[in-house]
Amino acid sequence: MQRRQVIGLLAVFGLAACSMPGLDGNDERAAEARALYADLVMGRDDALLARMASINDPDTVRAQLPMMRRIAPAGPAPEPRSLGWRAFSGTNGQRYAIAHEYEYPDRFVNTDTVFLKEGEVWRVEGFNVNSRAKADATATGEPVAPA
């Protein structure tokens, strides 16, 4: 009898693991977050602003873009690694947040994108860009040879 319970419990855990979403969560939101970062690094301000939720002031967002670009290197973005996501609802609406990490020769750039559902459309409510230097990178971005 005890053996059947263990097997049943293992089957339940196995089925639960199969139905758990991956780190990307919603594929559409993940693609939109990657496209937003691509708009930033490629200098497509109008496309980036078009993705923003109505609560964001376009002039305020536009004023923040140069600072964000100092963190994120210009040019095509590498394929990111998904760090996780979360979806939440409350009295002030539905939100979906996703985090990505982009690896460059001299740094890692992390993005956190928060979407807000406006009607039937998901728009960007918040976009945070941070970076951290690689331990083996010089100021020029070239890896330091091991001693």
Side-chain angles (χ1 to χ4, degrees), residues 74-127:
E79 190 63 30
R81 179 172 73 100
S82 294
L83 299 177
W85 62 272
R86 62 190 170 114
F88 43 103
S89 294
T91 57
N92 59 351
Q94 291 181 291
R95 286 175 175 74
Y96 186 92
I98 188 163
H100 285 121
E101 180 176 75
Y102 296 83
E103 184 175 0
Y104 290 91
D106 65 333
R107 71 188 93 175
F108 294 96
V109 174
N110 291 346
T111 62
D112 292 300
T113 309
V114 178
F115 294 92
L116 171 66
K117 192 162 190 183
E118 292 184 338
E120 296 300 314
V121 180
W122 289 94
R123 312 288 290 186
V124 176
E125 178 183 40
F127 184 53

Side-chain angles (χ1 to χ4, degrees), residues 4-133:
R4 285 185 184 173
Q5 290 175 335
V6 170
I7 291 173
L9 190 57
L10 290 174
V12 167
F13 286 137
L15 289 174
C18 290
S19 65
M20 290 181 69
L23 286 178
D24 266 336
N26 182 291
D27 291 338
E28 288 178 37
R29 295 300 81 68
E32 288 179 41
R34 290 189 305 269
L36 180 71
Y37 182 73
D39 289 341
L40 175 72
V41 297
M42 299 302 288
R44 298 186 294 247
D45 293 359
D46 291 337
L48 188 146
L49 291 168
R51 297 177 188 281
M52 292 289 154
S54 61
I55 63 171
N56 291 307
D57 175 44
D59 293 332
T60 302
V61 174
R62 191 179 298 276
Q64 295 172 352
L65 295 178
M67 184 261 323
M68 294 172 84
R69 285 200 179 93
R70 285 193 298 268
I71 298 169
E79 190 63 30
R81 179 172 73 100
S82 294
L83 299 177
W85 62 272
R86 62 190 170 114
F88 43 103
S89 294
T91 57
N92 59 351
Q94 291 181 291
R95 286 175 175 74
Y96 186 92
I98 188 163
H100 285 121
E101 180 176 75
Y102 296 83
E103 184 175 0
Y104 290 91
D106 65 333
R107 71 188 93 175
F108 294 96
V109 174
N110 291 346
T111 62
D112 292 300
T113 309
V114 178
F115 294 92
L116 171 66
K117 192 162 190 183
E118 292 184 338
E120 296 300 314
V121 180
W122 289 94
R123 312 288 290 186
V124 176
E125 178 183 40
F127 184 53
N128 188 9
V129 180
N130 291 303
S131 99
R132 61 184 166 86

